[in-house]
């Protein structure tokens, strides 16, 4: 479905944020990308979602292919039309708009009214708390609820591949567990997921496959369960001595 080959990305021509990354997201799977601060995870997502140029980044070489379409040099709207929708790091919901207005904003590119209504129903089924609070302003929601809203808004565009950038950031462990369950449910309903996370426990718990990025390069990759058993992942990412 998504295939990245020998990707090199720089910022301002100098900072080499991604250095020769190759990666696959097979149809119907959850793929996790782990790595510490500055490893290049966000840069990878920006390249896929077409937002790289907004951050003055540039693809120097390599390819990103989604269902047979080259994604390098596409803009975010084109990426969304192809079925790639990103939930940005830090959530970035519209605080002054109501929950329902936030969701509608996510479905704006979709002209099919019936499909939009169905998408909204699906979001409310998945997140009953959003239905209860549909007329409240986004800013009044808790951090966890705002993350649910950001995910719900992305689902309104009916993605084929959902791109999640550190959904657990700043949330309590219990809420992080809920986010993991939500990712699993979205995947069960047929959406593939690329999950960028620093929380390796959550990410490896829900993912089929995982890649570990280290200063812009893939240092480890494979079956998520097998990776979680390796010494390196246990020590560096799961906090075991
Ligand atoms: P984090 O978890 O902190 O978001 P990350 O793994 O997502 O880290 P990136 O944000 O992709 O990493 O950053 C990779 C490298 O690129 C870092 O050295 C970072 O400083 C640099 N970088 C990211 N965005 C820019 C930018 N807009 N301009 C210049 N350098 C940038």
């Amino acid at each position: 479905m998504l295939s990245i080959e020998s990707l090199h990305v720089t910022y301002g021509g100098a900072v080499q944020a991604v250095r020769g990354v190759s990666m696959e997201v097979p149809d119907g799977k959850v793929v996790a990308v782990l790595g510490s601060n500055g490893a290049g995870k966000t840069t990878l997502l920006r390249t896929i979602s077409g937002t790289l140029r907004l951050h003055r980044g540039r693809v120097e070489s390599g390819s990103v292919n989604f269902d047979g379409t080259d994604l390098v040099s596409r803009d975010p709207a084109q990426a969304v039309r192809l079925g790639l929708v990103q939930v940005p790091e830090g959530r970035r919901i519209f605080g002054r708009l109501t929950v329902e207005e936030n969701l509608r904003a996510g479905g704006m590119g979709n002209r099919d009214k019936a499909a939009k209504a169905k998408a909204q129903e699906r979001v409310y089924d998945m997140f009953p708390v959003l239905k209860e609070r549909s007329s409240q302003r986004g800013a009044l929601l808790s951090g966890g609820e705002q993350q649910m809203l950001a995910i719900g808004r992305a689902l309104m565009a009916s993605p084929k591949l959902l791109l999640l950038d550190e959904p657990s950031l700043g949330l309590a462990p219990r809420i992080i567990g809920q986010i993991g369950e939500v990712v699993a449910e979205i995947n069960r309903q047929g959406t593939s997921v690329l999950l960028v996370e620093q929380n390796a426990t959550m990410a490896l718990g829900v993912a089929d496959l995982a890649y570990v990025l280290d200063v812009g390069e893939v240092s480890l990759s494979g079956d998520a369960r097998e990776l979680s058993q390796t010494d390196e992942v246990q020590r560096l990412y799961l906090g075991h001595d």
Side-chain angles (χ1 to χ4, degrees):
M1 169 177 240
L2 180 77
S3 177
I4 299 175
E5 262 177 58
S6 309
L7 185 70
H8 286 260
V9 181
T10 58
Y11 289 103
V15 182
Q16 294 192 16
V18 170
R19 306 188 295 178
V21 165
S22 296
M23 188 174 284
E24 299 284 331
V25 182
D27 199 5
K29 302 285 185 200
V30 178
V31 176
V33 179
L34 308 175
S36 46
N37 282 322
K41 306 182 298 299
T42 297
T43 302
L44 204 57
L45 284 190
R46 286 175 180 160
T47 309
I48 299 165
S49 66
T51 55
L52 186 64
R53 257 178 304 170
L54 303 175
H55 299 274
R56 298 170 184 242
R58 199 172 77 185
V59 173
E60 299 291 343
S61 60
S63 66
V64 184
N65 196 284
F66 181 66
D67 278 347
T69 305
D70 176 27
L71 288 184
V72 174
S73 81
R74 303 241 160 212
D75 65 33
Q78 289 173 316
V80 170
R81 273 199 292 278
L82 287 169
L84 287 148
V85 183
Q86 181 170 0
V87 180
E89 186 178 323
R91 314 191 255 280
R92 297 209 213 111
I93 56 142
F94 305 114
R96 286 162 169 271
L97 299 187
T98 66
V99 167
E100 185 137 339
E101 286 164 346
N102 267 277
L103 292 179
R104 270 197 236 127
M108 241 156 41
N110 187 349
R111 291 213 191 91
D112 182 343
K113 273 195 179 157
K116 264 199 275 198
K118 210 168 159 209
Q120 183 166 319
E121 208 179 294
R122 176 184 172 206
V123 170
Y124 281 153
D125 279 348
M126 196 175 288
F127 307 109
V129 66
L130 296 184
K131 190 170 186 178
E132 282 160 29
R133 309 192 67 172
S134 61
S135 56
Q136 283 188 9
R137 285 187 183 196
L140 295 176
L141 301 181
S142 70
E145 289 162 352
Q146 288 188 7
Q147 184 61 66
M148 306 291 178
L149 179 55
I151 295 173
R153 188 177 58 185
L155 291 178
M156 289 293 292
S158 304
K160 288 186 194 159
L161 175 62
L162 184 69
L163 309 166
L164 287 165
D165 195 357
E166 301 213 18
S168 76
L169 202 70
L171 300 179
R174 185 175 60 86
I175 312 288
I176 295 173
Q178 287 176 8
I179 302 273
E181 285 165 25
V182 160
V183 171
E185 178 58 26
I186 290 169
N187 181 245
R188 263 196 297 277
Q189 292 185 10
T191 306
S192 311
V193 180
L194 183 60
L195 171 64
V196 160
E197 260 302 337
Q198 283 199 48
N199 187 313
T201 309
M202 185 272 264
L204 292 174
V206 70
D208 300 295
L209 303 168
Y211 291 82
V212 178
L213 279 189
D214 189 18
V215 249
E217 293 180 69
V218 175
S219 61
L220 287 167
S221 66
D223 178 86
R225 208 154 297 158
E226 283 172 21
L227 266 190
S228 66
Q229 303 301 322
T230 61
D231 285 348
E232 189 172 354
V233 169
Q234 290 266 334
R235 195 163 35 85
L236 294 176
Y237 300 101
L238 296 172
H240 299 296
D241 293 329

